[in-house]
Amino acid sequence: MPPLQVDYGRLRTTIEHLEQNTVPAEDLVARHTERLKARPDDPDALHQRGHALLRLQRFDQALADFSTASARRPLDGHLQAYRGICLLKLKRYAPALDQLESAFKTDPKTVRAIFNLDPLVNNLAVNNLAWELATGPRPQRDPALAARLAEFSVALAPGEQVSVNTLGVALYRAGKFAAAITTLEKSLDAGKGHFDAFDLYFLSMAHHRLGHGAEARECYDRAKRSFKGQKSLSTQDSYELADFQAEAEAVLAGEPGASRPRYSLPPAPD
């Protein structure tokens, strides 16, 4: 019988990943801090302590460990992705996307796995942040950043209709009306009639901005019918659609390309 070949490096990595889910984070921080006293530049110890610190929500310290480990392993997409995740947690969104986009370009499979499997991060949170930055209160909006976040969300899950809709809305907010139309039409097709109004109100406004009067009116009328026909919308969805309907009415009442008039949020429909 040939001798059993064991990849101890891979085995050790597997054990360390299991420990992140079973051993208290404080204990792991202490253990890997001891390891680092002997070898301050040990990327494995820095990596594992970074994960434990992230679990403890000590995001600045976790970022420092992942960054130091990444400097020693610059081609490691996993480490770069977690640098981006720490920056997301610190609400440093633009540099977070710099890291995440670069990691995804290098190793998309690993980055998708992180956002699918790690309980601390998920694609829905990325999409929700993009939605907030695209549609939230005016002083808090950042359309360009919303579009980048939404593009990353779509890259993580290309078939996810909600993310495609968010991207279309963000592109409209950013003034990229032709791209918004293309994206919102994809979302409309993927939604199969379930959330049409979320696409159609913004399609109507994007068409109006480009001088497509007939298309703008058709999309607006379809949006109203879809909104009225939805009987199972959540309260939040109802208020958002009422807001978008008022916005679309104001936009379509003006000249193509004109600034959108200010309007007040109407009450949710009965």
Side-chain angles (χ1 to χ4, degrees):
M1 179 181 293
L4 180 65
Q5 299 294 318
V6 179
D7 185 342
Y8 288 102
R10 185 177 294 274
L11 179 61
R12 178 179 173 181
T13 299
T14 300
I15 291 171
E16 287 175 335
H17 285 168
L18 289 172
E19 287 179 339
Q20 290 293 341
N21 296 318
T22 57
V23 178
E26 295 89 344
D27 294 349
L28 290 175
V29 170
R31 180 192 303 176
H32 293 297
T33 298
E34 283 299 312
R35 285 178 60 186
L36 288 162
K37 288 179 180 178
R39 288 188 58 197
D41 61 347
D42 181 352
D44 290 323
L46 288 163
H47 172 199
Q48 296 304 324
R49 189 174 70 175
H51 278 298
L53 290 165
L54 185 58
R55 286 168 56 197
L56 293 169
Q57 300 186 34
R58 291 157 63 178
F59 303 129
D60 279 314
Q61 293 172 289
L63 174 61
D65 276 0
F66 286 126
S67 296
T68 305
S70 184
R72 285 153 180 75
R73 292 178 177 169
L75 300 181
D76 191 323
H78 177 97
L79 292 172
Q80 188 171 27
Y82 272 100
R83 289 176 68 187
I85 288 165
C86 290
L87 289 163
L88 275 180
K89 296 290 187 180
L90 291 165
K91 300 184 179 181
R92 295 164 59 186
Y93 300 129
L97 281 167
D98 291 341
Q99 296 297 318
L100 291 168
E101 290 165 349
S102 177
F104 188 84
K105 184 177 181 179
T106 301
D107 192 351
K109 183 177 179 180
T110 291
V111 177
R112 284 197 180 105
I114 289 170
F115 279 83
N116 284 331
L117 300 175
D118 193 320
L120 294 175
V121 294
N122 59 68
N123 190 26
L124 179 60
V126 176
N127 176 75
N128 288 348
L129 176 59
W131 183 256
E132 181 181 347
L133 290 172
T135 67
R138 249 179 211 283
Q140 300 172 18
R141 288 184 191 173
D142 188 332
L145 182 56
R148 281 188 70 190
L149 283 161
E151 285 172 355
F152 179 65
S153 180
V154 170
L156 289 174
E160 184 61 55
Q161 184 266 339
V162 172
S163 297
V164 179
N165 169 257
T166 300
L167 176 57
V169 172
L171 289 169
Y172 171 79
R173 290 279 191 246
K176 299 180 179 180
F177 305 126
I181 289 171
T182 299
T183 304
L184 289 165
E185 286 177 344
K186 290 179 182 178
S187 175
L188 190 64
D189 183 60
K192 302 185 184 303
H194 294 295
F195 302 101
D196 286 4
F198 281 98
D199 297 310
L200 288 165
Y201 281 128
F202 284 93
L203 274 168
S204 72
M205 292 186 283
H207 277 299
H208 181 82
R209 297 298 192 192
L210 293 176
H212 307 158
E215 293 92 335
R217 177 53 57 181
E218 178 189 5
C219 288
Y220 176 78
D221 290 341
R222 288 174 61 195
K224 284 189 70 174
R225 289 195 299 270
S226 175
F227 185 15
K228 186 176 181 180
Q230 286 282 353
K231 304 302 182 184
S232 59
L233 289 171
S234 68
T235 300
Q236 179 178 346
D237 285 348
S238 294
Y239 269 103
E240 284 187 325
L241 286 175
D243 192 13
F244 300 151
Q245 179 174 315
E247 179 179 356
E249 287 176 354
V251 169
L252 268 62
E255 293 295 324
S259 299
R260 179 168 67 87
R262 299 180 65 86
Y263 65 96
S264 300
L265 176 65
D270 295 331

